[in-house]
Structures are given as structure tokens and as C-alpha cells.
Amino acid sequence: MSTALQLLNNREQFYARLPPIAMASNEEWLACMVASWCVGQGVLPDYLGLEPEQFSQLKQAYFQDQPLPEQAPSGSQLDFSRMLEKEDLVNLLRRYSRADTLEMDWVIAIIVAGCLGSDHLWQDLGLWSRSQLSAMLQYNFPELAAKNTQDMKWKKFLYKQLCEAEGLYLCRAPSCNVCIDYPKCYGSEE
């Protein structure tokens, strides 16, 4: 069996051991990300990118019967200090968030940590498909997600929102439809 297939099977086995969860909610998406993280998939760093206290609260709320490591099993050591946009991303997501809850802080911190990865955001987060990421963003940030009218890749979309908020328009094409990089921003991620 290939290593990739073995990781997928391990992730699904871990996920199956979790208590039943509500579908289409943060609990489901967090469970998918944790299952992937525990088998070394995605790029989320130690504590899933959360502060240690937040990680403890997350474990207590949803995973108290599961032995979760604190260090990233993948050995991912992302350096948050190199991410100049961290605070801007947090503020963007907070501005559009549905509710100001402890859970929302976890979701925002994990998404921002995933933005440090070099792959598609859903893969960097350890979600199982782009449609899961889309559903999670629509659920938590409905107004922001609704702005993505042309289905731009989510990480590019978030950074584009930051640029536009600063009045920066780096693309030289008059519209996305005529840009030679169109497939990089709007192509399939599967």
C-alpha cells in the first residue's frame, strides 16, 4: 500500500473513532483537520496553530477522549514571525465572522496558520476537499465568502481581499478573464 493511501486510511480511522458530530458545522471541519494533522497531513504547526491554552480548550470541548499530540506530527515548523499579514488576515476574518465565540477564534487562528503553507488552503489545513473549505468559509464568514463570485481559489481570494483593502491592485490585466494566469487563480484544485 502506498504511503499516501496509508495516511488517508489512518486519517479516516482516526476520524471514525471520534464521537458522532453534527454535519456541516465547525465541529465536523475541526475533526477532519485534527484527523489529518494527527497523521501528518497538512502544514498546521504545533497546537494546530493555536495558542497552547486555545488548544487545551479545543481538546476539552471536542476531543477530550482522544489522545492528541501537542506537537505537529508532520514536524511542520511554520514561522509565524515571517508572516507580515497575520494580523491583517485575522482582522479580515474577524470582520466578516458570523459570531464572536471562542470557537470562532480557533477557526480563524487555524485558517491563518494554513495560509503559511504552499499548497491549496484546503490541503494545507488538512481538510479532505475544497468543497469542505468552501462550506466552512460560507458557514463562518458568509459575507466574505459571498464576495468570491467567480470561485477564485480561497487562499488567493483572501490575499486579494487584503490587497484591495489597502488599495493595491497588482494584476496588470484589465480583468481576470483575459489574464494569462487565470488557471492559477480559478482552475480546479482537486
Side-chain angles (χ1 to χ4, degrees), residues 14-15 18-19 21 26-35 48 55-68 106:
F14 181 90
Y15 182 82
L18 297 174
I21 53 174
N26 285 324
E27 189 174 352
E28 175 191 4
W29 300 309
L30 288 166
C32 289
M33 290 185 280
V34 165
L48 293 165
F55 185 75
S56 293
Q57 292 166 340
L58 173 73
K59 281 174 48 173
Q60 186 65 30
Y62 296 136
F63 308 107
Q64 55 184 238
D65 295 330
Q66 298 299 318
L68 298 184
W106 302 337

Side-chain angles (χ1 to χ4, degrees), residues 22-187:
M23 298 307 283
S25 71
N26 285 324
E27 189 174 352
E28 175 191 4
W29 300 309
L30 288 166
C32 289
M33 290 185 280
V34 165
S36 294
W37 182 73
C38 284
V39 299
Q41 292 184 311
V43 299
L44 295 176
D46 295 348
Y47 304 104
L48 293 165
L50 300 170
E51 294 297 324
E53 183 179 320
Q54 290 176 311
F55 185 75
S56 293
Q57 292 166 340
L58 173 73
K59 281 174 48 173
Q60 186 65 30
Y62 296 136
F63 308 107
Q64 55 184 238
D65 295 330
Q66 298 299 318
L68 298 184
E70 293 178 348
Q71 280 71 45
S74 68
S76 175
Q77 297 297 322
L78 299 177
D79 181 5
F80 283 93
S81 67
R82 72 177 173 87
M83 187 174 159
L84 301 175
E85 306 86 16
K86 179 183 178 188
E87 188 176 330
D88 294 332
L89 279 170
V90 168
N91 290 336
L92 173 72
L93 293 171
R94 193 172 313 282
R95 180 171 49 246
Y96 286 101
S97 65
R98 252 179 16 113
D100 187 21
T101 64
L102 185 61
E103 182 180 294
M104 186 57 64
D105 289 340
W106 302 337
V107 170
I108 289 171
I110 291 169
I111 289 171
V112 170
C115 284
L116 285 174
S118 58
D119 216 333
H120 297 297
L121 184 54
W122 68 271
Q123 292 168 320
D124 288 337
L125 291 171
L127 287 168
W128 300 6
S129 68
R130 183 176 195 261
S131 62
Q132 277 189 321
L133 175 60
S134 294
M136 184 176 79
L137 293 173
Q138 289 162 358
Y139 178 83
N140 289 293
F141 316 99
E143 288 180 52
L144 180 63
K147 292 175 132 193
N148 192 359
T149 58
Q150 296 194 342
D151 202 26
M152 181 179 258
K153 293 176 184 172
W154 286 111
K155 195 181 296 185
K156 288 187 179 290
F157 174 78
L158 293 175
Y159 279 91
K160 184 176 186 248
Q161 295 303 301
L162 292 181
C163 289
E164 288 178 1
E166 293 293 321
L168 302 172
Y169 299 93
L170 302 176
C171 185
R172 287 178 245 140
S175 75
C176 290
N177 294 340
V178 299
C179 180
I180 61 170
D181 287 329
Y182 185 87
K184 292 179 184 173
C185 295
Y186 297 95

